[in-house]
Amino acid sequence: MSEKRISRKELARQNRKKNKKRKNLRTLMIIAITAVLVYITGIYGASLAYLGDFVASGLTYLQVGSGFPVEDDYSTLLQGGDMGSGLALLTSDNFLVYSPTGKNVFSYSHSMSQPVMDSSDNRAVIYQSGGTSLKIANHQNILFHKEMPNSIIHADISDSNRVAVTTRSDSYNGEVVVYNYNMDQRFVWYCARGFPVYSLLSDSGRTMAVCAVQTVNGLLQSDVYVIDAVKGVEKVTISGGAYPQKMIFLDDDRLMLVYADKLVIKDTRTGEDLAIYQSENGKLLAVENSSPYIAVATGSYTGGTSSKVIMMAVDFTEKFTAEIPEKVKDLSVSRSRLYVLGEKTLYEYDYSGTLLSSCSTGSLTHGLVTWNGTILMDSTALTKVEKTKSR
């Protein structure tokens, strides 16, 4: 009798557990179906923006195309960027998103005369350089459209979907407005010294760097302001250096400044130098960061000249150096490969520095995008670069 009673209790417990699982599964299916319907019909607000990003990303994965290469007229292509499950492209007329199998899942006519784009894991910001119009898109929709009160100099979007917009100012030399993922204003940082040229958010959106320039005794100098993007207060100022052509956050505490002839990694808490790489082979032509590696191409800005490519760890410890018999246009690090785009040739190296392949590309290439591997963009096609097996 006792064993029967115990087995009946156990059976009842198991039945309750199964019923609970079925109920939870039905609830999840209802939520998922509702989310998709709400998203597709477009009747969702800013409060569901993250939900919309999730659904749009999933739908992009499900869109089946004929694969790469995708052939079309890309003669007016301006930029390409990794957008998580989608490849984002900006042309002089349109903003385009492609699925991993080459399906064009979104096409939007931006109506901007000088468009610029920056992309993150799920979104892209598209803005009119020198104008006031700014738009936030995900893989399949325009989420927000904002008119800034002053002309836009630069805009940046982080992987956490925070947006920093550098604009002119009525009262200061310039200002940076930071928005959250709903495009609600978090704070405004005003630049009183120098002219702000561009700003950058870390992937987490917690730290921001603003590059401002000014002329001192006829020389262009810069100040880089590091700002706590949660509290909106300055942390440290990196003053008196040359103009950094690019800034890259390695993480919230490390900022890499890319100068014409050197790289400097700064501690964003103290402003101190953590590592310095000085080029001995001319100017920096391209820099690619893909943790835990940094690839650098050095040489002359003049076409028809040779270049060097150096693969390094994040502390600038050299892994290998490769001689390239032409000017380097772009770099991509993906899937244990380094791809080097020259003026007319694409080179493929493994991480030991072995040249695995090289192929002619012609002179109409736009560049490389590190997305699901590496994408080669030229004026007639988007081509996925196939990985060569190591010898």
Side-chain angles (χ1 to χ4, degrees), residues 197-227:
V197 179
Y198 62 97
S199 54
L200 178 72
L201 288 163
S202 62
D203 287 344
S204 69
R206 294 180 174 274
T207 310
M208 182 174 70
V210 181
C211 177
V213 297
Q214 58 184 322
T215 302
V216 179
N217 297 325
L219 299 176
L220 188 66
Q221 293 190 353
S222 71
D223 292 312
V224 175
Y225 301 93
V226 180
I227 297 157

Side-chain angles (χ1 to χ4, degrees), residues 9-20:
K9 288 181 180 178
E10 178 63 20
L11 182 61
R13 188 188 70 80
Q14 291 179 0
N15 287 336
R16 286 195 300 270
K17 188 175 181 180
K18 289 179 181 178
N19 289 333
K20 185 177 181 180

Side-chain angles (χ1 to χ4, degrees), residues 49 53 83 119-124 136-137 143-144 157 161 181:
D53 291 343
M83 208 164 116
S119 61
S120 68
D121 279 348
N122 289 302
R123 294 182 181 180
I136 305 295
L143 301 177
F144 304 97
I157 186 167
N161 292 332
Y181 69 96

Side-chain angles (χ1 to χ4, degrees), residues 119-375:
S119 61
S120 68
D121 279 348
N122 289 302
R123 294 182 181 180
V125 55
I126 310 151
Y127 61 96
Q128 169 81 33
S129 177
T132 59
S133 182
L134 178 144
K135 298 175 183 180
I136 305 295
N138 64 13
H139 296 85
Q140 298 190 353
N141 273 299
I142 298 296
L143 301 177
F144 304 97
H145 179 194
K146 202 166 194 68
E147 288 293 329
M148 304 299 295
N150 297 294
S151 58
I152 300 170
I153 302 168
H154 181 266
D156 178 74
I157 186 167
S158 71
D159 284 343
S160 56
N161 292 332
R162 272 54 177 176
V163 179
V165 186
T166 307
T167 72
R168 297 185 181 276
S169 176
D170 293 331
S171 304
Y172 292 82
N173 294 339
E175 60 191 49
V176 182
V177 188
V178 177
Y179 299 92
N180 67 9
Y181 69 96
N182 282 335
M183 287 304 287
D184 295 325
Q185 182 177 307
R186 299 183 66 186
F187 67 88
V188 182
W189 179 83
Y190 297 99
C191 186
R193 187 177 69 177
F195 180 78
V197 179
Y198 62 97
S199 54
L200 178 72
L201 288 163
S202 62
D203 287 344
S204 69
R206 294 180 174 274
T207 310
M208 182 174 70
V210 181
C211 177
V213 297
Q214 58 184 322
T215 302
V216 179
N217 297 325
L219 299 176
L220 188 66
Q221 293 190 353
S222 71
D223 292 312
V224 175
Y225 301 93
V226 180
I227 297 157
D228 184 326
V230 176
K231 300 177 181 178
V233 296
E234 292 181 25
K235 296 170 62 177
V236 68
T237 302
I238 302 166
S239 299
Y243 171 62
Q245 300 172 342
K246 187 177 182 180
M247 300 187 294
I248 301 172
F249 271 109
L250 303 179
D251 51 45
D252 280 318
D253 297 329
R254 295 179 300 167
L255 176 67
M256 183 165 69
L257 304 179
V258 180
Y259 295 98
D261 59 352
K262 66 178 180 179
L263 303 175
V264 180
I265 297 178
K266 293 282 188 177
D267 188 321
T268 60
R269 297 162 297 184
T270 64
E272 296 178 351
D273 293 343
L274 298 177
I276 298 176
Y277 168 76
Q278 180 70 53
S279 171
E280 298 177 355
N281 306 295
K283 304 298 184 182
L284 300 186
L285 304 177
V287 177
E288 172 77 358
N289 170 57
S290 181
S291 181
Y293 298 107
I294 296 170
V296 178
T298 66
S300 171
Y301 295 142
T302 304
T305 58
S306 63
S307 309
K308 282 189 177 182
V309 173
I310 304 96
M311 189 78 161
M312 303 179 288
V314 290
D315 61 355
F316 297 146
T317 301
E318 187 174 314
K319 299 299 181 182
F320 71 83
T321 299
E323 299 281 348
I324 308 297
E326 55 186 317
K327 178 184 174 182
V328 171
K329 295 171 64 175
D330 208 352
L331 300 169
S332 173
V333 179
S334 68
R335 297 181 177 177
S336 71
R337 296 289 183 268
L338 168 64
Y339 297 98
V340 182
L341 179 62
E343 293 174 294
K344 295 184 179 180
T345 310
L346 179 66
Y347 305 86
E348 177 187 9
Y349 292 88
D350 65 16
Y351 285 179
S352 70
T354 301
L355 177 63
L356 301 178
S357 69
S358 63
C359 62
S360 175
T361 60
S363 58
L364 299 179
T365 54
H366 295 289
L368 302 173
V369 176
T370 305
W371 173 74
N372 277 342
T374 297
I375 300 292

